[in-house]
Amino acid sequence: MTAPVLREMRWWDLEQVLDLERALFPEDAWSPGMFWSELAHARGPLATRRYVVAERPADGRVVGYAGLGAAGGLGDVLTIAVAPEAQGGGLGSRLLTELLRHATAFECDQVLLEVRVDNTRAQKLYERFGFEPIGFRRGYYQPGNVDALVMRLTVQGTENRQDG
Ligand SMILES: CC(C)(COP(=O)(O)OP(=O)(O)OC[C@H]1O[C@@H](n2cnc3c(N)ncnc32)[C@H](O)[C@@H]1OP(=O)(O)O)[C@@H](O)C(=O)NCCC(=O)NCCS
């Protein structure tokens, strides 16, 4: 089957994105309003967000999505998700690569993310990209009171920019 194509997320993707969101994050799914608000900050010269979807060319189905926030040289992986049937085939890696490309375009020196302490699969993915654990946020995920592991990536080639 042809590989999914990555492109900008638009409002007309939200129905499919929300279906995936509820399936993949049953305890703390983002609401439609949260996605609308995020997309409102994803266009124009003052944009602080980039959201992408992975679309299957054969039927137009959205099988993954991801979002990055950026401000003051600091990036934040806000969300990343792949449909269960599409996991383990490298799509999560492609989405993360795309977010990091946007982080570079935003001139981020560092990219942070929060991940549930029990989500070892996602943590392994981030580690492969060079993210390192830097601390915890206690009770970050509600309901459930699950801690977040905070991970940080220093974006290559920008870490000494102030000195040079
Ligand atoms: C975390 C998540 C986004 C990863 O997406 P993914 O598409 O499965 O990611 P990848 O395929 O790039 O990598 C994941 C695994 O597949 C393996 N893989 C990558 N390419 C592969 C390929 N071509 N063939 C077989 N396996 C492959 C990787 O080695 C990796 O294995 P490991 O985790 O066992 O070490 C996905 O599991 C997901 O959506 N989970 C639920 C939501 C979630 O937890 N999001 C993160 C919140 S912080």
Side-chain angles (χ1 to χ4, degrees):
M1 192 182 307
T2 324
V5 173
L6 303 195
R7 62 165 174 79
E8 181 187 3
M9 184 190 291
R10 300 305 311 276
W11 63 264
W12 51 82
D13 297 313
L14 288 185
E15 199 177 323
Q16 294 199 69
V17 166
L18 283 160
D19 282 348
L20 275 180
E21 174 79 10
R22 293 184 196 108
L24 291 167
F25 305 103
E27 289 163 36
D28 45 16
W30 286 10
S31 66
M34 287 169 79
F35 274 104
W36 278 100
S37 159
E38 288 294 300
L39 289 190
H41 295 99
R43 297 208 121 196
L46 300 179
T48 57
R49 302 283 192 274
R50 291 285 181 255
Y51 276 82
V52 293
V53 291
E55 183 180 62
R56 214 160 53 187
D59 54 6
R61 207 169 148 234
V62 170
V63 290
Y65 57 92
L68 176 95
L74 189 63
D76 216 333
V77 174
L78 300 170
T79 186
I80 181 163
V82 171
E85 74 273 16
Q87 289 178 8
L91 185 52
S93 307
R94 286 181 62 203
L95 286 165
L96 190 52
T97 302
E98 184 68 3
L99 292 190
L100 295 180
R101 202 176 62 75
H102 287 302
T104 302
F106 274 123
E107 300 188 342
C108 296
D109 303 318
Q110 299 189 347
V111 179
L112 292 179
L113 59 80
E114 285 92 17
V115 55
R116 289 174 69 109
V117 286
D118 55 6
N119 192 349
T120 48
R121 178 156 205 204
Q123 288 170 29
K124 278 195 332 201
L125 173 69
Y126 302 139
E127 277 168 14
R128 275 210 308 276
F129 277 75
F131 281 87
E132 292 170 336
I134 57 164
F136 294 94
R137 290 192 207 278
R138 302 289 173 199
Y140 183 79
Y141 296 99
Q142 300 291 343
N145 205 33
V146 177
D147 296 344
L149 177 66
V150 183
M151 300 182 82
R152 179 177 62 195
L153 174 73
T154 302
V155 178
Q156 296 238 317
T158 59
E159 63 263 42
N160 295 321
R161 193 168 23 184
Q162 305 98 302
D163 309 328

